Amino acid sequence: MQDLWTAYKMRLKRRRLLFRALRKRRQLTPITDHTNRISGDAILAFSTVRNEIIRLPHFLDHYRKLGVQHFLMVDNNSDDGTAEYLAAQPDVSLWHTDHSYKMSRFGVDWLAWLQIKYGHGHWCLTVDADEILVYPHHDTRPLAQLTQWLDQAGKQSFGTMMLDMYPKGPLDAQPYSAGQNPFETLRWFDADNYHSQMQEGLQNLWIQGGVRERVFFGDRPERAPTLNKTPLVKWNKRYAYVSSTHSLLPRHLNQVFDTDGAGKTTGVLLHSKFLHVVVDKSVEEKQRQEHFANSSLYDAYYDSLAQSPDLWDETSCEYTDWRQLQTLGLMSGGGWR
Amino acid sequence: MSGSVGIVMMVHNALDRATQVARHWAESGCPVVIHVDSQVGRDAYKEFVGGLSDLPDLKFCKRHRCEWGTWSLVQASQTGSELMLETYPDVRHVYLASGSCLPLRPVQELVDYLAERPRTDFIESATTDDVPWAIGGLDAERFTLRFPFSWKRHRQLFDGYVRLQRRVRYKRKIPMGVVPHLGSQWWCLTRRTLSSILEDQQRETFDNYFKRVWIPDESYYQTLVRLFSTSIESRSLTLSKFDYQGKPHTFYDDHLQLLRRSDCFVARKIWPHADRLYQAFLTDEDGAMKKAEPNPGKIDRIFAKAVERRIRGRAGLYMQSRYPVEDRENGATPAPYSVFQGFSYLFEDFVPWLSKSTGSTVHGHLFAPKRAEFVGGVRIYSGCVPDSAPMRDANPKAFLTNLIWNTRGEQQCFQFSPRDLQDLNWFIAKDPNASITVITGAWVVPLFHSNLSFIEIRKEAARLQKIESDHLNILRSPWAKARVRIMTMAEFIEAPMEPLQTIIDTIGPRNNLRTLSEAPKMVDLTGFGKFLQNLKNQGMHPHLMGDFPSGDDIAQTIAKPRRPYLVRK
């Protein structure tokens, strides 16, 4: 009975989110529209970006190699050439907006509209410019193989965990140039200080931990960033992301984990946040207050980032490949052999 | 003269790959008959036929609409086989393959292999009692129930109708002489056997029966072959693997080495875009495998391991892919570990002593209120686990399981006391990997040595005694699965060497039973009996320590006879 009531509330919530997306579509102005090139079985990528010119070449390159056919992107008022760069890409359709990122639920409302319009029936990948997806065998098996397997196994969503990658030494000591693999310098990560709990309402696994909790939130771990993400979904126009890509509605899409057994197939989003640009950017983000629901609580976090701290520790783990992540238990091949 | 092995090929999709494989078979001298699913569009079909029109010994048979699990698949193979037997009189063996099958070895080797066994039928065929792999609990019932509803499209109707038939105990009659057998649908039969099946007088009866059997392509030939064949080798020449859900496993580029090692003639199913596999096995003669008896055993072992891991999971691992419900974990923690309670209060150098005598990693109080006291006092331990108490206390179970997962291969030991976080007492007590040794009441020693006022000591002692008492109740409960040893402080002091030796024997290195050469140094307990008596006089009854004489001299107690080690209140 209780569950029926929750299910009903969730349904209302989902409809409210979809309605929001419908309203926010007016905030989007199309810049380039190549959506007529999308084929029936294409895998699509959705992303909201702001001043990401330095990350985009590698980002596009990585996902093109994995077989993403088309990118649908929203430019949130960049002034570093991001818009011009994206507008020149043949496989990118671009929209512009100068409205608030926070008010659009961190870009989710805008993307939700594009997903309703273009994503229906496609496998859709929703990632930020600093999130690079890896999964078991990603070097030899393009996304289409993964999605075919998911289809066959009757799964509509694919879970990942965000893995914060960092350099050795102060954050701004090793400059990164566009196009380079960001994980040449951001070679390190926290191997196993993650913790998770079930969230009753949405039935998703809430994962926290990692380097950001260790360094910035050691005294108030409840504020540490959420690391679970479900970026790859066989989209239906009735679906909606709830908060960033951490959770979705309807709730069954959040069940990307097993409560017994070996675990489902999962991936990792390598997070390239800690490139040298983060130091300057944190000063700006602290002023904009656009990134967290209670932004002022995160002032200390931005302040420490602006000091260019060294996140590295002797116990840090150096990244080699997906096999390593699988062995460490950060992701799993599940039944996909 | 055309070849002696004919290939009947069932094609549903990925026509370009089917073209490539059909061409490979035909050019290697095998006549090919292709059945194309009639769901394939007209244009695509025309293009497919056109692409193969230059091959003389390649025919297309009448098309049927194929649906998984239905009679249509058998019908298609019958039509194809009939055309094959009719058109190519030299064919001695007919091999049923699909468009997503890939020959792994040179076709000539298959031809030679079959020529050496001219009367053998290769078909997996086992009675329903012998197959462990039937999915959905339907094995014998496949032959005795009716299945008018599609399993793929109308699952609820399918299941409901099965339940109904079970309830009313409905059973179909199996035709005389037919003993149901099951097996892989990919077979290789001799002309004699195949034509016997297809030309049998009773074929209509059999066909009518099998039309209503569920998944008849796994049972039609497998059953009938038992009536006609003189020599059955019950295995499929086609390597195919199934996952734990019974879905066929798809082979990708990265399975190249695995497939090479299998020594099988044909494998399915292959991912249509696995360019490297097609390249390696179809075009590259040198890349093909050496002559060897097919050995699917090797590959079986690898897959069995995968399936087992898929079902049971990595013990003690909590991660984004698996979040085991408590008590259904397949191991709450990944490896054995030891908890010591009271020792560090009684011995000045217990931690270094234990680490030296056992070679294991010995932490201080991991659950201490201020911080996690990792070995060597480090702030961040293996796997980047920080010593922050708030982080640990936010999810102590994750803290402990992470620590043990990170240090697999090393025995972890840590100190525990009623002063520490007690949240995990049940979790550890229920964990068979844990071994817990408690000297009850030893927590009072720091109070004995402290400068606190006696009122404060009394209050603190009462608090700690209550906590330890609750913990002991957990350790003694019938649900406790850990190895637990509890002794009172008095008992321990009476004969400390025996328990210390036991500790070293259980967690020290194997095959290297050491005798205790050096005992840790015990703290000064002069006046302890009096101290306890004082507590008693103040109205606080310190019962967990055991019986100490109220006099000054602890050594007195050592002369006393030994009591049973487990003393209950």
Side-chain angles (χ1 to χ4, degrees), chain B residues 466-512:
Chain B
K466 169 85 175 65
I467 295 173
E468 186 163 82
S469 211
D470 290 347
H471 188 194
L472 294 177
N473 286 339
I474 293 175
L475 294 179
R476 286 169 178 150
S477 90
W479 292 282
K481 298 278 183 297
R483 257 199 319 201
V484 178
R485 181 164 185 189
I486 301 170
M487 55 209 139
T488 64
M489 185 173 157
E491 277 171 338
F492 180 78
I493 289 179
E494 213 174 78
M497 295 313 262
E498 187 267 329
L500 290 177
Q501 180 70 53
T502 313
I503 289 168
I504 291 183
D505 291 348
T506 39
I507 65 175
R510 303 268 149 76
N511 326 319
N512 186 15

Side-chain angles (χ1 to χ4, degrees), chain A residues 80-133:
Chain A
D80 67 346
T82 294
E84 293 74 10
Y85 175 78
L86 287 175
Q89 306 296 322
D91 54 356
V92 174
S93 293
L94 183 67
W95 285 262
H96 174 265
T97 181
D98 49 14
H99 287 79
S100 162
Y101 181 64
K102 189 167 155 184
M103 293 300 288
S104 157
R105 296 187 303 126
F106 315 112
V108 169
D109 286 336
W110 299 324
L111 296 184
W113 166 245
L114 297 179
Q115 278 153 347
I116 291 171
K117 200 162 169 206
Y118 302 105
H120 185 75
H122 290 272
W123 277 95
C124 292
L125 186 67
T126 309
V127 282
D128 290 338
D130 58 3
E131 294 171 347
I132 295 295
L133 174 69

Side-chain angles (χ1 to χ4, degrees), chain A residues 57-194:
Chain A
H58 177 262
F59 172 87
L60 292 176
D61 184 48
H62 178 81
Y63 287 111
R64 278 174 188 148
K65 274 188 194 147
L66 288 184
V68 169
Q69 194 200 60
H70 204 81
F71 297 83
L72 297 101
M73 305 187 79
V74 174
D75 167 41
N76 187 198
N77 218 16
S78 301
D79 55 12
D80 67 346
T82 294
E84 293 74 10
Y85 175 78
L86 287 175
Q89 306 296 322
D91 54 356
V92 174
S93 293
L94 183 67
W95 285 262
H96 174 265
T97 181
D98 49 14
H99 287 79
S100 162
Y101 181 64
K102 189 167 155 184
M103 293 300 288
S104 157
R105 296 187 303 126
F106 315 112
V108 169
D109 286 336
W110 299 324
L111 296 184
W113 166 245
L114 297 179
Q115 278 153 347
I116 291 171
K117 200 162 169 206
Y118 302 105
H120 185 75
H122 290 272
W123 277 95
C124 292
L125 186 67
T126 309
V127 282
D128 290 338
D130 58 3
E131 294 171 347
I132 295 295
L133 174 69
V134 297
Y135 49 86
H137 303 285
H138 73 94
D139 47 357
T140 51
R141 303 183 191 174
L143 272 173
Q145 295 188 14
L146 177 63
T147 56
Q148 183 247 5
W149 185 80
L150 292 168
D151 276 331
Q152 191 188 323
K155 298 187 174 97
Q156 291 181 301
S157 55
F158 177 74
T160 62
M161 188 180 94
M162 240 190 341
L163 191 63
D164 291 325
M165 307 295 290
Y166 48 85
K168 189 173 176 176
L171 294 182
D172 59 2
Q174 298 174 71
Y176 166 83
S177 56
Q180 208 185 340
N181 177 2
F183 307 110
E184 280 168 23
T185 47
L186 308 183
R187 289 213 313 270
W188 305 85
F189 62 93
D190 283 17
D192 197 9
N193 52 11
Y194 303 92

Side-chain angles (χ1 to χ4, degrees), chain A residues 11-26:
Chain A
R11 182 181 161 83
L12 284 186
K13 181 168 186 160
R14 180 170 57 84
R15 299 181 71 117
R16 204 167 57 236
L17 293 173
L18 289 170
F19 181 66
R20 246 182 107 101
L22 221 62
R23 275 191 303 132
K24 299 267 174 176
R25 75 182 191 276
R26 293 181 215 285

Side-chain angles (χ1 to χ4, degrees), chain B residues 212-244:
Chain B
R212 289 181 175 78
V213 164
W214 192 44
I215 323 186
D217 51 325
E218 286 183 0
S219 58
Y220 178 78
Y221 296 98
Q222 291 72 3
T223 302
L224 297 184
V225 77
R226 293 281 167 188
L227 300 178
F228 302 107
S229 174
T230 48
S231 160
I232 295 180
E233 182 129 348
S234 179
R235 65 185 167 99
S236 174
L237 291 179
T238 304
L239 170 77
S240 58
K241 288 279 130 209
F242 295 89
D243 65 13
Y244 71 107

